[in-house]
Amino acid sequence: MSSPSIPSPPTIGVFDSGFGGLTVLRALIRRFPSARFAFIGDTARLPYGSKSRRTIARYAVESAQFLVREQGAEFLVIACNTASALALDAIESAVPVQVLGVIEPGAMAARAASRSGDVLVIATDATVKSHAYAAACQALGLRALEKACPLLVPLVEEGWIRHPVTAEVIRIYLDELLADASAKQLTPDTLVLGCTHYPLLRPLIEQAVPEGMRVIDSAESAADAALRMINGRMLSPSSGPDPEPLIRCFATDSVDKFQRLGSRFLDRPVGDVELVDLGG
Amino acid sequence: MSSPSIPSPPTIGVFDSGFGGLTVLRALIRRFPSARFAFIGDTARLPYGSKSRRTIARYAVESAQFLVREQGAEFLVIACNTASALALDAIESAVPVQVLGVIEPGAMAARAASRSGDVLVIATDATVKSHAYAAACQALGLRALEKACPLLVPLVEEGWIRHPVTAEVIRIYLDELLADASAKQLTPDTLVLGCTHYPLLRPLIEQAVPEGMRVIDSAESAADAALRMINGRMLSPSSGPDPEPLIRCFATDSVDKFQRLGSRFLDRPVGDVELVDLGG
C-alpha cells in the first residue's frame, strides 16, 4: 500500500510464549496503524511458567533474535509475563534494539491510577510465583497484593468470554482477593490485569470489581510505553490512503490453535500463521 | 515389612506426562496391595498433547526405559492418554516387559457395559483430536462420540472437585454432547472418562448423566486389565502382616505442584517426589 517515495515503516517485533500476547499486538496496532509487525509465539515450548530462568532466557533470546535478525525488528515488545519477569536482561544483552516488557508499564500505570497506593494484581500461577508485579509496584512505592487465577486462561481459550460461568469464577476470585486485602488492612483502588489473556475478560471484570476501582490492562500500558519510547518516524501514519498495518505471525508449533483462537485476541483475522523452527 | 523368606514383590512401573496418572496408580494399588510401584511424571515436557508423534514416542520411551532399567519395573502401565494413543508400539519395542495403555481397557469396559453399542467419551482436546478412543471403540463394534472438555483439568487442578461451578461446567458439556448424540441418532448408554484427571470428578459426573447411564473410569479399567495380565506371583498378598505397597514417585520438573496436588489424585500422601533428569 505504501508508495515508493515514502520510506518503508520500521518493524516492531512482538514475542510471547503463546498467542495471548496478540492482545498486546492489538494495542500496539491501534497506536501504530501504519507500522509493520512481526509476532512470534513460541508455542512448541510453552508453558514457560514451569521452566527454569536459564531455560526461559535461552528460549526468549532465540525468539528475540529471530525477530531482529530474520524479520528486521527495530523495537521489541516482550508480550509474555514470564519472559518479562525472568529474561528481559538476557534479551536486552542479546539484541541491538530497544526492548520493552509488559510488567513495568503495568506497574507504572497502576501508580498513575492509584490514590491509596494499594494495588491488586491478578495473573497466572507462574507470574504470581515470580512476584514480578509486586516487585515492580514496590519499586514505585505501591503495595501490591497478587492472586493467581488459573481458571481464567482456560475459560478464555474455551471461548467463554461473556459466559455466566466465567462471571461467577471472576466473582469468586475477586471476593477471595478483596477479603485477603481487607485482612491485610489494604485499601486497594486499582486492579492490574497481569496476564495477556485477561483483556478479553475486561467487560466481565469491570462488572465484578467494587464501585470506583480502576482496571489496568497491562497490554494497553505496554503499548502506551512503546508509544513513548519509539522515535517519531514510527508515529506518523503513512501518507497514503487507508494506512494498514503489515502483520506477520509466526509460531513454533500448534499453528492450528493459534489460528483458531488468535483472531479473537487480535480483534482482526490473524491470517496465515507461519511455522518456524527455532531448534530447541 | 517383608520377611527375608518371602521373595520380594515385583515392581509395576507407571508412566504419565504429568501427575494425573496417579489415579491409575491408585486403582493399581487397590488391586496389588503388596506390590512395589515406581511412578514417573514427565512434568518438564508436558503437555504431550501438542507435540508430534515422534517427539512423544521419544519422550515416552525415555521414561519407560528409566522405569525398567533404573527402577526394575517388570510391567509397565502407560497412564497417559496421549502416549497410549501415539507411543504404545514404540514403548513395547523399546523395553523387554509387558506394556499396557489406558485406552484399550477403557474401550473394552465400555463394550462390556453398553447394551445399545453407542458410547460417549469425554477427554482432553489432544486425546479427542487423536480419535484414539473412537478407533478403539470402533474396533470392538461400538459407535463412539467424543467430546473435548478442556475446562475439567484446570478445575480439578484448582481443587474445585465438588464445586458448584464445576457441576455447572459438567452439565453444560454433557448437555452439548447429548444434544450432538441425539442429532446423530445415537442412543448412548455409557460414558467413558477418557482422562486421568476425571476420576476425581466422578461423583459430580454421575449426578449429571441421564438416569441409567454407566460411567466407565478408564483408570479403573486399566487396573482391571493389569490384574488380568500380570502373572500370579504378584496377585498373592505378602504373607506378612499389614501388606503395604512400596511407592516411589519421580518427576522431571515441577516437583512442587506434583507434591501439592498429587495426594488428592493418589488418595494417600505421595511422600517425597524425586527429581530425575531424563536429558530432554
Side-chain angles (χ1 to χ4, degrees):
Chain A
M1 301 292 263
S2 64
S3 102
S5 64
I6 301 165
S8 98
T11 298
I12 301 176
V14 183
F15 160 66
D16 188 16
S17 59
F19 53 83
L22 289 171
T23 56
V24 178
L25 177 56
R26 175 177 63 175
L28 286 165
I29 289 170
R30 283 204 211 102
R31 286 160 185 80
F32 303 99
S34 60
R36 292 172 189 268
F37 294 95
F39 179 97
I40 184 165
D42 190 10
T43 48
R45 305 192 287 199
L46 65 79
Y48 278 18
S50 57
K51 296 183 169 68
S52 70
R53 175 189 286 262
R54 205 176 62 172
T55 301
I56 290 163
R58 181 162 64 83
Y59 290 172
V61 162
E62 285 172 6
S63 283
Q65 287 175 334
F66 168 79
L67 290 171
V68 172
R69 292 181 190 166
E70 299 187 35
Q71 298 306 313
E74 294 167 58
F75 186 85
L76 285 189
V77 180
I78 309 307
C80 166
N81 281 281
T82 305
S84 294
L86 301 177
L88 208 57
D89 291 352
I91 297 168
E92 282 173 339
S93 308
V95 292
V97 304
Q98 271 192 298
V99 181
L100 181 74
V102 280
I103 290 170
E104 210 176 275
M108 289 180 69
R111 187 181 60 175
S114 176
R115 292 181 186 181
S116 68
D118 292 345
V119 167
L120 304 175
V121 181
I122 58 174
T124 64
D125 200 34
T127 300
V128 167
K129 280 219 179 73
S130 77
H131 295 303
Y133 276 99
C137 286
Q138 206 175 356
L140 299 173
L142 300 169
R143 285 179 296 183
L145 188 62
E146 300 163 300
K147 180 170 177 62
C149 301
L151 290 170
L152 298 188
V153 166
L155 284 163
V156 168
E157 296 198 351
E158 184 63 314
W160 292 14
I161 286 172
R162 294 177 185 257
H163 196 286
V165 163
T166 309
E168 176 66 5
V169 171
I170 289 169
R171 189 192 62 72
I172 292 170
Y173 281 143
L174 285 180
D175 281 357
E176 289 173 359
L177 181 54
L178 289 165
D180 190 19
S182 176
K184 292 189 165 73
Q185 315 212 309
L186 298 175
T187 53
D189 60 0
T190 303
L191 173 71
V192 178
L193 310 185
C195 168
T196 54
H197 278 61
Y198 296 179
L200 280 84
L201 301 176
R202 187 168 183 157
L204 289 185
I205 291 168
E206 297 214 318
Q207 279 168 29
V209 294
E211 183 78 25
M213 180 168 281
R214 295 280 302 275
V215 176
I216 302 291
D217 172 348
S218 58
E220 296 291 335
S221 309
D224 284 335
L227 195 57
R228 288 190 296 270
M229 283 173 77
I230 291 177
N231 74 46
R233 71 198 167 103
M234 296 185 78
L235 300 185
S236 52
S238 128
S239 58
D242 294 334
E244 186 66 22
L246 290 169
I247 305 166
R248 286 184 75 179
C249 286
F250 302 89
T252 54
D253 201 350
S254 311
V255 168
D256 174 54
K257 194 176 177 189
F258 192 128
Q259 212 136 18
R260 187 162 43 86
L261 300 178
S263 305
R264 199 179 292 151
F265 286 68
L266 192 57
D267 213 17
R268 63 171 68 206
V270 291
D272 284 336
V273 179
E274 300 168 57
L275 190 63
V276 57
D277 185 0
L278 293 182
Chain B
M1 301 288 266
S2 64
S3 102
S5 65
I6 301 166
S8 98
T11 298
I12 301 175
V14 183
F15 159 65
D16 188 16
S17 57
F19 53 83
L22 289 170
T23 57
V24 178
L25 177 56
R26 176 177 65 174
L28 288 164
I29 289 170
R30 284 204 210 102
R31 287 160 184 82
F32 304 99
S34 61
R36 293 171 189 267
F37 293 95
F39 179 97
I40 184 164
D42 190 10
T43 48
R45 304 191 287 198
L46 65 77
Y48 277 18
S50 58
K51 296 182 171 66
S52 70
R53 176 188 285 261
R54 205 176 62 172
T55 301
I56 290 164
R58 181 162 64 84
Y59 289 173
V61 162
E62 285 173 6
S63 282
Q65 288 175 333
F66 167 80
L67 290 171
V68 172
R69 292 182 190 165
E70 298 186 36
Q71 299 306 313
E74 294 167 58
F75 186 85
L76 285 190
V77 180
I78 309 307
C80 167
N81 281 282
T82 304
S84 293
L86 301 177
L88 208 57
D89 291 353
I91 297 168
E92 282 173 338
S93 308
V95 293
V97 303
Q98 271 193 297
V99 181
L100 181 74
V102 280
I103 289 169
E104 208 175 276
M108 289 180 69
R111 187 181 60 174
S114 176
R115 293 181 187 180
S116 68
D118 292 344
V119 167
L120 305 175
V121 181
I122 57 174
T124 63
D125 200 35
T127 301
V128 168
K129 279 220 180 71
S130 78
H131 296 302
Y133 275 98
C137 286
Q138 205 174 358
L140 298 173
L142 300 170
R143 285 178 295 183
L145 187 63
E146 302 163 298
K147 182 172 175 62
C149 301
L151 290 170
L152 298 187
V153 166
L155 284 163
V156 168
E157 297 199 350
E158 184 64 313
W160 291 14
I161 286 171
R162 295 179 183 255
H163 196 286
V165 163
T166 309
E168 175 66 5
V169 171
I170 289 169
R171 189 193 62 72
I172 291 169
Y173 281 143
L174 285 180
D175 281 356
E176 289 171 359
L177 180 54
L178 289 165
D180 189 20
S182 177
K184 293 188 165 72
Q185 314 211 309
L186 300 175
T187 53
D189 60 358
T190 303
L191 173 71
V192 178
L193 309 185
C195 168
T196 54
H197 278 62
Y198 296 178
L200 281 84
L201 301 177
R202 187 168 183 155
L204 288 185
I205 291 168
E206 297 214 317
Q207 280 168 28
V209 295
E211 184 78 25
M213 181 168 283
R214 295 280 303 274
V215 176
I216 303 292
D217 173 347
S218 58
E220 296 291 335
S221 308
D224 283 337
L227 195 58
R228 290 191 295 271
M229 282 173 77
I230 291 177
N231 75 45
R233 69 196 169 105
M234 295 185 79
L235 301 185
S236 52
S238 128
S239 58
D242 294 335
E244 185 67 21
L246 290 168
I247 305 165
R248 286 184 75 180
C249 287
F250 302 88
T252 54
D253 201 349
S254 312
V255 168
D256 173 54
K257 193 175 177 188
F258 193 128
Q259 213 135 17
R260 186 161 45 87
L261 299 178
S263 304
R264 198 180 295 152
F265 285 68
L266 193 56
D267 212 18
R268 63 170 69 206
V270 290
D272 284 336
V273 179
E274 300 168 57
L275 190 63
V276 58
D277 185 0
L278 293 182

